Amino acid sequence: MSRRSGDLVPTVTPLPGLDQVDFARQSLYTELEHRHLGITSVNRKLEVVAADPDTAASLQVAPGSPTFYFHTLGQVSDGRVLEYSIAQYRGDNNYFTFNIART
């Protein structure tokens, strides 16, 4: 699980050796690119949910506080899913910008 101040980001990938990568210093996408497995498509769902007691403790907010809750599937060009993550961020000190381009 990745942990930074104000977020919880457990990520699962089916590749060996990723447990040896320090994701506090290196992004998953950069590591995958180094392995010639760059993510080419991402499906991401965003919800706003109330923090349960365990999540609230981890994020240092009151239980019931609003949090951003993301579900992500990242795929490479041949359709393999190489990222599955659920991320939860504090609702009081985060914002997200979405840029959408049609190709």
Side-chain angles (χ1 to χ4, degrees):
M1 176 178 355
S2 169
R3 176 82 169 99
R4 294 180 306 198
S5 176
D7 66 4
L8 295 172
V9 188
T11 301
V12 176
T13 61
L15 297 175
L18 284 182
D19 58 339
Q20 304 301 313
V21 178
D22 181 1
F23 287 113
R25 299 182 185 275
Q26 172 86 347
S27 79
L28 172 63
Y29 285 18
T30 300
E31 180 63 26
L32 291 174
E33 286 173 4
H34 285 140
R35 295 168 181 240
H36 307 287
L37 294 168
I39 298 290
T40 58
S41 127
V42 173
N43 183 318
R44 185 167 284 153
K45 175 183 168 186
L46 169 62
E47 299 177 71
V48 176
V49 300
D52 62 42
D54 290 337
T55 300
S58 293
L59 295 178
Q60 299 175 350
V61 297
S65 295
T67 64
F68 296 107
Y69 193 73
F70 286 89
H71 298 253
T72 302
L73 287 176
Q75 296 175 292
V76 294
S77 61
D78 67 6
R80 286 182 294 161
V81 173
L82 291 186
E83 175 195 16
Y84 172 74
S85 65
I86 297 173
Q88 202 158 359
Y89 301 88
R90 291 173 59 137
D92 63 342
N93 65 359
N94 284 289
Y95 68 89
F96 300 92
T97 302
F98 299 91
N99 296 308
I100 300 170
R102 184 173 178 183
T103 58

